[in-house]
Coordinates of all heavy atoms in Angstrom, one line a residue:
M1 N 60.8 172.1 220.6 CA 62.0 172.9 220.8 C 61.8 174.3 220.3 O 61.1 174.5 219.3 CB 63.2 172.2 219.9 CG 64.4 173.0 220.0 SD 65.7 172.0 219.2 CE 66.8 173.3 218.8
S2 N 62.2 175.3 221.0 CA 62.0 176.7 220.6 C 63.2 177.2 219.7 O 64.3 176.7 219.8 CB 62.0 177.5 221.9 OG 60.9 177.2 222.7
N3 N 62.8 178.1 218.9 CA 63.8 178.7 217.9 C 63.6 180.2 217.9 O 62.5 180.7 218.1 CB 63.6 178.1 216.5 CG 64.1 176.7 216.4 OD1 65.2 176.4 216.7 ND2 63.3 175.8 216.0
M4 N 64.7 180.9 217.5 CA 64.6 182.3 217.4 C 63.8 182.7 216.2 O 63.8 182.0 215.1 CB 66.0 182.9 217.3 CG 65.9 184.4 217.1 SD 67.6 185.2 217.1 CE 67.7 185.6 218.8
V5 N 63.0 183.8 216.3 CA 62.2 184.3 215.2 C 62.4 185.8 215.2 O 62.6 186.4 216.3 CB 60.7 183.9 215.3 CG1 60.1 184.5 216.6 CG2 59.9 184.4 214.1
V6 N 62.5 186.4 214.0 CA 62.6 187.9 213.8 C 61.4 188.3 213.0 O 61.2 187.7 211.9 CB 63.9 188.3 213.2 CG1 64.0 189.8 212.9 CG2 65.1 187.8 214.0
I7 N 60.6 189.3 213.4 CA 59.6 189.9 212.6 C 59.8 191.3 212.5 O 60.0 192.0 213.5 CB 58.2 189.6 213.2 CG1 57.9 188.1 213.2 CG2 57.1 190.3 212.5 CD1 56.6 187.7 213.8
S8 N 59.7 191.9 211.3 CA 59.8 193.3 211.0 C 58.5 193.8 210.4 O 58.0 193.1 209.5 CB 61.0 193.5 210.1 OG 61.1 194.9 209.7
T9 N 58.0 194.9 210.9 CA 56.8 195.4 210.4 C 57.0 196.9 209.9 O 57.8 197.6 210.4 CB 55.7 195.4 211.5 OG1 56.1 196.2 212.6 CG2 55.4 194.0 212.0
T10 N 56.1 197.3 209.0 CA 56.1 198.6 208.4 C 54.7 199.0 208.3 O 53.9 198.4 207.6 CB 56.8 198.7 207.1 OG1 58.1 198.2 207.2 CG2 56.8 200.1 206.5
A11 N 54.3 200.1 208.9 CA 53.0 200.7 208.8 C 51.8 199.7 209.0 O 50.8 199.7 208.3 CB 52.8 201.4 207.4
V12 N 51.9 198.9 210.1 CA 50.8 198.0 210.4 C 50.0 198.6 211.5 O 50.4 199.5 212.2 CB 51.4 196.6 210.9 CG1 52.2 195.9 209.7 CG2 52.2 196.7 212.1
P13 N 48.7 198.2 211.6 CA 47.8 198.7 212.6 C 48.4 198.4 214.0 O 49.1 197.5 214.2 CB 46.5 197.9 212.4 CG 46.6 197.5 211.0 CD 48.0 197.2 210.7
D14 N 48.1 199.3 215.0 CA 48.6 199.2 216.3 C 48.2 197.9 217.0 O 49.0 197.3 217.7 CB 48.0 200.3 217.2 CG 48.7 201.7 216.9 OD1 49.8 201.7 216.3 OD2 48.1 202.7 217.2
H15 N 47.1 197.3 216.7 CA 46.7 196.0 217.3 C 47.6 194.9 216.9 O 47.8 193.9 217.6 CB 45.2 195.7 217.1 CG 44.9 195.3 215.7 ND1 44.6 196.2 214.7 CD2 44.8 194.0 215.1 CE1 44.4 195.5 213.6 NE2 44.5 194.2 213.8
V16 N 48.2 195.0 215.7 CA 49.1 194.0 215.2 C 50.4 194.1 216.0 O 50.9 193.1 216.5 CB 49.4 194.1 213.7 CG1 50.5 193.2 213.2 CG2 48.1 193.9 212.9
R17 N 50.9 195.3 216.2 CA 52.1 195.5 217.0 C 51.9 195.0 218.4 O 52.8 194.4 219.0 CB 52.5 197.0 217.0 CG 52.9 197.5 215.6 CD 53.3 198.9 215.6 NE 54.5 199.0 216.3 CZ 55.1 200.1 216.7 NH1 54.5 201.3 216.5 NH2 56.2 200.2 217.3
G18 N 50.7 195.2 219.0 CA 50.4 194.8 220.3 C 50.4 193.3 220.4 O 50.9 192.7 221.4
A19 N 49.8 192.6 219.4 CA 49.8 191.1 219.4 C 51.2 190.5 219.3 O 51.5 189.6 220.0 CB 48.9 190.7 218.2
I20 N 52.0 191.1 218.5 CA 53.4 190.6 218.4 C 54.2 190.8 219.7 O 54.9 189.9 220.1 CB 54.1 191.3 217.2 CG1 53.4 191.1 215.9 CG2 55.6 190.8 217.1 CD1 54.0 191.9 214.7
S21 N 54.0 192.0 220.3 CA 54.8 192.3 221.5 C 54.4 191.4 222.7 O 55.1 191.4 223.7 CB 54.7 193.8 221.8 OG 53.3 194.1 222.2
R22 N 53.3 190.7 222.6 CA 52.9 189.8 223.7 C 53.9 188.6 223.7 O 54.0 188.0 224.8 CB 51.5 189.3 223.5 CG 50.4 190.3 223.8 CD 49.0 189.7 223.7 NE 48.1 190.8 223.8 CZ 47.2 191.1 222.8 NH1 47.2 190.3 221.7 NH2 46.4 192.1 222.9
W23 N 54.4 188.3 222.6 CA 55.3 187.1 222.5 C 56.8 187.4 222.2 O 57.6 186.6 222.6 CB 54.8 186.2 221.3 CG 53.5 185.6 221.5 CD1 52.3 186.1 221.1 CD2 53.2 184.5 222.3 NE1 51.3 185.3 221.5 CE2 51.8 184.3 222.3 CE3 53.9 183.5 223.0 CZ2 51.1 183.2 222.9 CZ3 53.3 182.5 223.6 CH2 51.9 182.3 223.6
L24 N 57.0 188.6 221.6 CA 58.4 188.9 221.2 C 58.8 190.3 221.8 O 57.9 191.1 222.1 CB 58.5 188.9 219.7 CG 58.1 187.7 219.0 CD1 58.1 187.9 217.5 CD2 58.9 186.5 219.3
T25 N 60.1 190.5 221.9 CA 60.6 191.8 222.4 C 60.8 192.7 221.2 O 61.2 192.3 220.1 CB 62.0 191.5 223.1 OG1 61.8 190.6 224.1 CG2 62.6 192.8 223.6
E26 N 60.6 194.0 221.4 CA 60.7 195.0 220.4 C 61.9 195.9 220.6 O 61.8 197.0 221.3 CB 59.4 195.9 220.3 CG 59.4 196.8 219.1 CD 58.1 197.6 219.0 OE1 57.3 197.6 220.0 OE2 57.9 198.3 218.0
P27 N 63.1 195.5 220.2 CA 64.3 196.3 220.5 C 64.4 197.6 219.7 O 65.2 198.5 220.1 CB 65.5 195.3 220.1 CG 64.9 194.4 219.1 CD 63.4 194.3 219.5
A28 N 63.7 197.7 218.6 CA 63.7 198.9 217.8 C 62.2 199.0 217.2 O 61.6 198.0 217.1 CB 64.7 198.9 216.7
P29 N 61.8 200.2 216.9 CA 60.4 200.3 216.4 C 60.1 199.4 215.2 O 60.9 199.4 214.2 CB 60.3 201.8 216.0 CG 61.3 202.5 216.8 CD 62.4 201.5 217.0
G30 N 59.1 198.5 215.3 CA 58.8 197.6 214.2 C 59.6 196.4 214.1 O 59.4 195.6 213.2
L31 N 60.6 196.2 214.9 CA 61.5 195.0 214.9 C 61.2 194.2 216.1 O 61.4 194.7 217.2 CB 62.9 195.4 214.8 CG 63.9 194.3 214.7 CD1 63.8 193.5 213.4 CD2 65.4 194.8 214.9
Y32 N 60.9 192.9 215.9 CA 60.6 192.0 217.0 C 61.4 190.8 217.0 O 61.6 190.2 215.9 CB 59.1 191.6 217.0 CG 58.2 192.8 217.0 CD1 57.8 193.4 215.8 CD2 57.7 193.3 218.2 CE1 57.0 194.5 215.8 CE2 56.8 194.4 218.2 CZ 56.5 195.0 217.0 OH 55.6 196.1 217.0
V33 N 62.0 190.4 218.2 CA 62.9 189.3 218.2 C 62.5 188.4 219.5 O 62.1 189.0 220.5 CB 64.3 189.7 218.4 CG1 65.3 188.5 218.5 CG2 64.7 190.6 217.3
G34 N 62.5 187.1 219.3 CA 62.2 186.3 220.4 C 62.5 184.8 220.1 O 62.8 184.4 219.0
T35 N 62.2 184.0 221.1 CA 62.4 182.5 221.0 C 61.1 181.9 221.4 O 60.6 182.0 222.5 CB 63.5 182.0 221.9 OG1 64.7 182.7 221.6 CG2 63.7 180.5 221.7
V36 N 60.4 181.3 220.4 CA 59.1 180.7 220.6 C 59.1 179.3 219.9 O 59.9 179.0 219.1 CB 57.9 181.6 220.1 CG1 57.9 182.9 220.9 CG2 58.1 181.9 218.7
S37 N 58.1 178.5 220.2 CA 58.0 177.2 219.6 C 57.5 177.5 218.1 O 57.0 178.5 217.8 CB 56.9 176.4 220.3 OG 55.6 176.9 220.2
A38 N 57.7 176.5 217.3 CA 57.2 176.5 215.9 C 55.7 176.8 215.8 O 55.2 177.5 215.0 CB 57.6 175.3 215.1
K39 N 55.0 176.2 216.7 CA 53.5 176.3 216.7 C 53.1 177.7 217.0 O 52.3 178.3 216.3 CB 52.9 175.4 217.7 CG 51.4 175.4 217.7 CD 50.8 174.4 218.6 CE 49.3 174.4 218.5 NZ 48.7 173.3 219.3
V40 N 53.7 178.3 218.0 CA 53.4 179.7 218.4 C 53.9 180.6 217.2 O 53.1 181.6 216.9 CB 54.1 180.1 219.7 CG1 54.1 181.6 219.9 CG2 53.5 179.4 220.9
R41 N 55.1 180.4 216.7 CA 55.6 181.2 215.6 C 54.6 181.2 214.4 O 54.2 182.2 213.9 CB 56.9 180.7 215.1 CG 57.5 181.5 213.9 CD 58.6 180.7 213.3 NE 58.1 179.5 212.7 CZ 58.7 178.3 212.7 NH1 59.8 178.1 213.3 NH2 58.2 177.3 212.1
D42 N 54.1 180.0 214.0 CA 53.2 179.9 212.9 C 51.9 180.5 213.1 O 51.3 181.2 212.3 CB 53.1 178.4 212.5 CG 54.3 177.8 211.9 OD1 55.2 178.6 211.5 OD2 54.4 176.6 211.9
K43 N 51.3 180.4 214.3 CA 50.1 181.0 214.7 C 50.2 182.5 214.7 O 49.3 183.3 214.3 CB 49.5 180.5 216.0 CG 49.1 179.1 216.0 CD 47.8 179.0 215.2 CE 47.2 177.6 215.3 NZ 46.0 177.4 214.5
L44 N 51.3 183.0 215.3 CA 51.6 184.4 215.3 C 51.7 185.0 213.9 O 51.1 186.0 213.6 CB 52.8 184.7 216.2 CG 53.2 186.2 216.4 CD1 52.1 186.9 217.1 CD2 54.5 186.2 217.2
W45 N 52.5 184.3 213.1 CA 52.6 184.8 211.7 C 51.3 184.8 210.9 O 51.0 185.7 210.2 CB 53.7 184.0 211.0 CG 53.9 184.6 209.6 CD1 53.5 183.9 208.4 CD2 54.3 185.8 209.2 NE1 53.8 184.7 207.3 CE2 54.3 185.9 207.8 CE3 54.7 187.0 209.9 CZ2 54.6 187.1 207.1 CZ3 55.1 188.1 209.2 CH2 55.1 188.1 207.8
E46 N 50.5 183.8 211.2 CA 49.2 183.7 210.5 C 48.3 184.9 210.9 O 47.7 185.5 210.0 CB 48.5 182.4 211.0 CG 47.2 182.1 210.4 CD 46.7 180.8 210.9 OE1 47.3 179.7 210.7 OE2 45.6 180.8 211.5
A47 N 48.3 185.3 212.2 CA 47.6 186.4 212.6 C 48.1 187.7 212.1 O 47.4 188.6 211.6 CB 47.6 186.5 214.2
V48 N 49.5 187.9 212.1 CA 50.1 189.1 211.5 C 49.8 189.2 210.1 O 49.4 190.3 209.6 CB 51.6 189.1 211.8 CG1 52.3 190.2 211.1 CG2 51.9 189.2 213.3
S49 N 50.1 188.2 209.3 CA 49.9 188.3 207.8 C 48.5 188.5 207.4 O 48.2 189.1 206.4 CB 50.5 187.0 207.1 OG 49.8 185.9 207.5
A50 N 47.5 188.1 208.2 CA 46.1 188.4 207.9 C 45.7 189.8 208.3 O 44.6 190.2 207.9 CB 45.2 187.4 208.6
S51 N 46.5 190.5 209.1 CA 46.1 191.8 209.6 C 47.0 193.0 209.2 O 46.8 194.0 209.8 CB 46.0 191.7 211.1 OG 45.2 190.7 211.5
V52 N 47.9 192.8 208.3 CA 48.8 193.9 208.0 C 48.1 195.1 207.3 O 48.7 196.2 207.4 CB 50.0 193.5 207.1 CG1 50.9 192.5 207.9 CG2 49.6 192.9 205.8
G53 N 47.0 194.9 206.7 CA 46.3 196.1 206.1 C 47.1 196.7 205.0 O 47.6 196.0 204.1
E54 N 47.4 198.0 205.1 CA 48.2 198.7 204.1 C 49.7 198.6 204.3 O 50.5 199.0 203.5 CB 47.8 200.2 204.0 CG 46.4 200.4 203.6 CD 46.1 200.1 202.1 OE1 47.0 200.4 201.3 OE2 45.1 199.5 201.9
G55 N 50.0 198.0 205.4 CA 51.4 197.8 205.8 C 52.0 196.6 205.2 O 51.5 196.0 204.3
A56 N 53.2 196.2 205.8 CA 53.9 195.0 205.4 C 54.6 194.4 206.6 O 54.9 195.1 207.6 CB 54.9 195.4 204.3
A57 N 54.9 193.1 206.5 CA 55.7 192.4 207.5 C 56.6 191.4 206.9 O 56.3 190.8 205.8 CB 54.7 191.8 208.5
V58 N 57.7 191.1 207.6 CA 58.6 190.0 207.2 C 58.9 189.2 208.4 O 59.1 189.7 209.5 CB 59.9 190.7 206.7 CG1 60.9 189.6 206.3 CG2 59.7 191.6 205.5
C59 N 58.9 187.9 208.2 CA 59.2 186.9 209.3 C 60.4 186.1 208.8 O 60.4 185.6 207.7 CB 58.0 186.1 209.6 SG 58.4 184.8 210.8
I60 N 61.4 186.0 209.7 CA 62.6 185.1 209.4 C 62.8 184.2 210.5 O 62.8 184.6 211.7 CB 63.9 186.0 209.2 CG1 63.6 187.0 208.1 CG2 65.1 185.1 208.9 CD1 64.7 188.1 208.0
H61 N 62.9 182.9 210.2 CA 63.1 181.9 211.2 C 64.0 180.8 210.7 O 64.1 180.6 209.5 CB 61.8 181.4 211.8 CG 61.0 180.7 210.8 ND1 61.1 179.3 210.5 CD2 59.9 181.1 210.0 CE1 60.2 179.0 209.6 NE2 59.5 180.0 209.3
P62 N 64.6 180.0 211.6 CA 65.5 178.9 211.2 C 64.7 177.8 210.5 O 63.5 177.6 210.7 CB 66.0 178.3 212.5 CG 65.9 179.4 213.5 CD 64.7 180.2 213.1
A63 N 65.4 177.1 209.5 CA 64.8 176.0 208.8 C 65.9 175.1 208.3 O 67.0 175.4 208.3 CB 64.0 176.6 207.6
E64 N 65.4 173.9 208.0 CA 66.4 172.8 207.5 C 66.5 172.9 206.0 O 66.0 172.1 205.3 CB 65.8 171.4 207.9 CG 65.9 171.2 209.4 CD 67.3 171.1 210.0 OE1 68.2 170.7 209.3 OE2 67.5 171.6 211.1
N65 N 67.2 174.0 205.6 CA 67.5 174.1 204.1 C 68.9 174.6 204.0 O 69.6 174.8 204.9 CB 66.4 175.1 203.5 CG 66.5 176.5 204.1 OD1 67.4 176.9 204.7 ND2 65.4 177.2 203.9
E66 N 69.3 174.9 202.7 CA 70.7 175.3 202.5 C 71.1 176.6 203.2 O 72.2 176.8 203.7 CB 70.9 175.5 200.9 CG 72.3 175.6 200.5 CD 73.1 174.4 200.7 OE1 72.6 173.3 200.7 OE2 74.4 174.5 200.9
Q67 N 70.1 177.6 203.2 CA 70.4 178.8 203.8 C 70.3 178.8 205.4 O 70.7 179.7 206.0 CB 69.5 179.9 203.3 CG 69.8 180.3 201.8 CD 68.8 181.2 201.3 OE1 67.6 180.9 201.2 NE2 69.3 182.4 200.9
R68 N 69.6 177.8 205.9 CA 69.4 177.6 207.3 C 68.3 178.5 207.9 O 68.2 178.7 209.1 CB 70.7 177.7 208.1 CG 71.8 176.9 207.6 CD 71.6 175.4 207.5 NE 71.5 174.8 208.8 CZ 71.0 173.5 209.0 NH1 70.6 172.8 208.0 NH2 71.0 173.0 210.2
Y69 N 67.6 179.2 207.0 CA 66.5 180.1 207.4 C 65.5 180.2 206.3 O 65.7 179.9 205.2 CB 67.0 181.5 207.9 CG 67.6 182.3 206.8 CD1 66.9 183.1 205.9 CD2 69.0 182.2 206.7 CE1 67.5 183.8 205.0 CE2 69.7 183.0 205.7 CZ 68.9 183.7 204.8 OH 69.5 184.5 203.8
V70 N 64.3 180.7 206.7 CA 63.2 180.9 205.7 C 62.7 182.4 205.9 O 62.7 182.9 207.0 CB 62.0 180.0 206.0 CG1 60.8 180.4 205.2 CG2 62.4 178.6 205.7
I71 N 62.4 183.0 204.8 CA 61.9 184.4 204.8 C 60.4 184.3 204.3 O 60.1 183.8 203.3 CB 62.6 185.3 203.9 CG1 64.1 185.3 204.2 CG2 62.0 186.7 203.9 CD1 65.0 186.1 203.1
K72 N 59.5 184.9 205.2 CA 58.1 185.0 204.8 C 57.7 186.4 204.8 O 58.2 187.2 205.6 CB 57.2 184.2 205.8 CG 57.5 182.8 206.0 CD 56.6 182.2 207.1 CE 57.0 180.7 207.3 NZ 56.2 180.2 208.4
T73 N 56.9 186.8 203.8 CA 56.4 188.2 203.7 C 54.9 188.3 203.6 O 54.2 187.4 203.2 CB 57.0 188.9 202.5 OG1 56.6 188.2 201.3 CG2 58.6 188.9 202.5
A74 N 54.4 189.5 204.1 CA 53.0 189.8 204.0 C 52.9 191.3 203.6 O 53.6 192.1 204.1 CB 52.3 189.5 205.3
G75 N 51.9 191.6 202.7 CA 51.8 193.0 202.3 C 52.6 193.3 201.1 O 53.4 192.4 200.7
E76 N 52.4 194.4 200.5 CA 53.1 194.8 199.2 C 54.1 195.8 199.5 O 53.9 196.9 200.0 CB 52.0 195.3 198.2 CG 51.1 194.3 197.7 CD 51.8 193.2 196.9 OE1 52.7 193.6 196.1 OE2 51.5 192.0 197.0
R77 N 55.3 195.5 199.0 CA 56.4 196.4 199.0 C 57.3 196.2 197.8 O 57.0 195.3 197.0 CB 57.3 196.3 200.3 CG 56.6 196.7 201.6 CD 56.5 198.2 201.6 NE 55.9 198.7 202.8 CZ 54.7 199.2 202.9 NH1 53.9 199.2 201.9 NH2 54.2 199.7 204.0
R78 N 58.3 197.0 197.6 CA 59.1 196.9 196.4 C 60.0 195.6 196.4 O 60.4 195.1 195.4 CB 60.1 198.1 196.2 CG 59.3 199.3 195.8 CD 60.3 200.4 195.5 NE 61.2 200.1 194.4 CZ 62.3 200.7 194.1 NH1 62.7 201.7 194.9 NH2 63.0 200.3 193.1
R79 N 60.3 195.1 197.6 CA 61.1 193.9 197.7 C 60.2 192.7 197.8 O 59.2 192.7 198.5 CB 62.0 194.0 199.0 CG 63.0 195.1 199.0 CD 63.7 195.2 200.3 NE 64.5 196.4 200.2 CZ 65.5 196.6 201.0 NH1 65.9 195.8 201.9 NH2 66.2 197.7 200.9
R80 N 60.6 191.7 197.1 CA 59.8 190.5 197.0 C 60.8 189.3 197.1 O 61.8 189.3 196.4 CB 59.0 190.4 195.7 CG 58.1 189.2 195.6 CD 57.3 189.3 194.4 NE 58.1 189.2 193.2 CZ 57.7 189.0 192.0 NH1 56.4 189.1 191.7 NH2 58.5 188.9 191.0
V81 N 60.4 188.3 197.8 CA 61.2 187.1 197.9 C 60.9 186.2 196.7 O 59.8 185.9 196.4 CB 60.9 186.3 199.3 CG1 61.7 185.0 199.3 CG2 61.2 187.2 200.5
V82 N 62.0 185.7 196.1 CA 61.9 184.8 195.0 C 62.7 183.6 195.2 O 63.8 183.7 195.8 CB 62.2 185.5 193.6 CG1 61.3 186.6 193.3 CG2 63.7 186.0 193.7
D83 N 62.3 182.5 194.7 CA 63.1 181.2 194.8 C 64.0 181.1 193.6 O 63.6 181.2 192.5 CB 62.1 180.0 194.8 CG 62.8 178.7 195.0 OD1 63.2 178.1 194.0 OD2 63.1 178.3 196.2
F84 N 65.3 180.9 193.8 CA 66.2 180.7 192.8 C 67.0 179.4 193.1 O 67.9 179.4 193.9 CB 67.2 181.9 192.7 CG 68.2 181.8 191.6 CD1 67.8 182.2 190.3 CD2 69.5 181.4 191.9 CE1 68.7 182.1 189.3 CE2 70.4 181.4 190.8 CZ 70.0 181.7 189.6
D85 N 66.6 178.4 192.4 CA 67.2 177.0 192.6 C 67.2 176.6 194.1 O 68.2 176.2 194.6 CB 68.6 177.0 192.0 CG 68.5 177.0 190.5 OD1 67.5 176.6 189.9 OD2 69.5 177.3 189.9
G86 N 66.1 176.9 194.8 CA 66.1 176.5 196.2 C 66.6 177.6 197.2 O 66.5 177.4 198.4
L87 N 67.2 178.6 196.7 CA 67.6 179.7 197.6 C 66.6 180.9 197.5 O 66.1 181.2 196.5 CB 69.0 180.3 197.1 CG 70.1 179.3 197.1 CD1 71.4 180.0 196.6 CD2 70.4 178.9 198.6
Q88 N 66.3 181.5 198.7 CA 65.4 182.6 198.7 C 66.3 183.9 198.5 O 67.2 184.2 199.3 CB 64.7 182.7 200.1 CG 63.6 181.6 200.2 CD 62.8 181.8 201.5 OE1 63.4 181.8 202.6 NE2 61.6 182.0 201.3
L89 N 66.0 184.6 197.5 CA 66.7 185.8 197.2 C 65.7 187.0 197.1 O 64.5 186.7 197.0 CB 67.4 185.7 195.8 CG 68.4 184.6 195.7 CD1 69.0 184.6 194.3 CD2 69.5 184.8 196.7
I90 N 66.1 188.2 197.2 CA 65.3 189.4 197.2 C 65.3 190.0 195.8 O 66.4 190.3 195.3 CB 65.7 190.4 198.3 CG1 65.7 189.7 199.6 CG2 64.8 191.6 198.2 CD1 64.4 189.1 200.1
E91 N 64.1 190.3 195.3 CA 64.0 191.0 194.0 C 63.4 192.3 194.2 O 62.4 192.5 195.0 CB 63.0 190.1 193.1 CG 62.7 190.8 191.8 CD 61.7 189.9 191.0 OE1 60.5 190.0 191.3 OE2 62.2 189.2 190.1
F92 N 63.9 193.4 193.6 CA 63.4 194.7 193.7 C 62.5 195.0 192.5 O 63.0 194.8 191.4 CB 64.6 195.7 193.8 CG 65.3 195.8 195.1 CD1 66.3 194.9 195.3 CD2 64.9 196.6 196.1 CE1 67.0 194.9 196.5 CE2 65.6 196.7 197.3 CZ 66.6 195.8 197.5
R93 N 61.3 195.4 192.8 CA 60.4 195.8 191.7 C 60.6 197.3 191.4 O 60.9 198.1 192.3 CB 59.0 195.5 192.1 CG 58.7 194.0 192.1 CD 57.3 193.6 192.4 NE 57.1 193.9 193.9 CZ 55.9 194.1 194.4 NH1 54.8 193.9 193.7 NH2 55.8 194.3 195.7
A94 N 60.3 197.6 190.2 CA 60.3 199.1 189.8 C 59.2 199.8 190.5 O 58.3 199.3 191.1 CB 60.1 199.2 188.3
E95 N 59.3 201.1 190.5 CA 58.4 202.0 191.2 C 56.9 201.7 190.8 O 56.0 201.7 191.6 CB 58.7 203.5 190.8 CG 59.9 204.0 191.5 CD 59.8 204.1 193.0 OE1 58.7 204.4 193.5 OE2 60.8 204.0 193.7
N96 N 56.7 201.4 189.5 CA 55.3 201.0 189.0 C 54.9 199.6 189.5 O 53.7 199.3 189.3 CB 55.2 201.2 187.5 CG 56.1 200.3 186.8 OD1 56.7 199.4 187.3 ND2 56.2 200.5 185.5
G97 N 55.8 198.9 190.0 CA 55.5 197.6 190.6 C 55.4 196.5 189.5 O 55.1 195.3 189.9
N98 N 55.7 196.8 188.3 CA 55.5 195.8 187.2 C 56.8 195.0 186.8 O 56.9 193.9 186.7 CB 54.9 196.4 185.9 CG 53.5 196.9 186.2 OD1 52.8 196.3 187.0 ND2 53.1 197.9 185.5
V99 N 57.9 195.8 186.6 CA 59.1 195.2 186.0 C 60.2 195.2 187.1 O 60.5 196.2 187.7 CB 59.6 196.1 184.9 CG1 60.8 195.5 184.2 CG2 58.5 196.3 183.8
P100 N 60.8 194.0 187.3 CA 61.9 193.9 188.2 C 63.1 194.8 187.8 O 63.3 194.9 186.6 CB 62.3 192.4 188.2 CG 61.1 191.7 187.6 CD 60.4 192.7 186.7
L101 N 63.8 195.3 188.8 CA 65.0 196.1 188.5 C 66.2 195.3 188.3 O 66.3 194.2 188.8 CB 65.2 197.1 189.6 CG 64.2 198.2 189.8 CD1 64.5 199.0 191.0 CD2 64.1 199.1 188.6

């Protein structure tokens, strides 16, 4: 069964953007949306997360959990996904990257 997937990228190499656009539509720069199988989604995310370089990427897709979706990230940015009693929440790190705000 196919499910919707959303991938957002920031400052990733052009070849990463090209690889994503083979499977998903890019309605805005760096934002990709589509419906693919779980196998394609996982393989695509594996390739993206291994190739982000200095950039970053976020993948959101449906899941059988309380929130009904999962957030996956690759690369370093101020926002970080943290687990809070089974819920995925976003934590903002300070400018120096050490202390949460």
Side-chain angles (χ1 to χ4, degrees):
M1 182 173 154
S2 297
N3 286 307
M4 179 175 267
V5 61
V6 176
I7 296 179
S8 176
T9 61
T10 304
V12 296
D14 288 340
H15 72 276
V16 174
R17 295 180 70 191
I20 300 171
S21 65
R22 288 186 191 116
W23 294 96
L24 308 175
T25 303
E26 187 177 12
L31 179 66
Y32 302 88
V33 180
T35 303
V36 296
S37 69
K39 183 175 183 176
V40 169
R41 177 199 66 222
D42 292 343
K43 290 290 187 181
L44 183 59
W45 180 247
E46 185 179 300
V48 169
S49 61
S51 304
V52 294
E54 296 292 318
V58 176
C59 176
I60 302 171
H61 64 84
E64 292 294 325
N65 62 21
E66 190 69 27
Q67 290 175 298
R68 311 303 287 169
Y69 62 87
V70 168
I71 304 170
K72 299 177 183 178
T73 62
E76 289 295 320
R77 291 290 184 252
R78 287 186 63 200
R79 295 176 188 197
R80 184 174 68 171
V81 178
V82 294
D83 182 270
F84 183 78
D85 290 336
L87 296 176
Q88 287 187 300
L89 302 176
I90 304 301
E91 173 182 82
F92 286 86
R93 290 183 286 164
E95 290 290 330
N96 62 11
N98 294 330
V99 181
L101 294 176

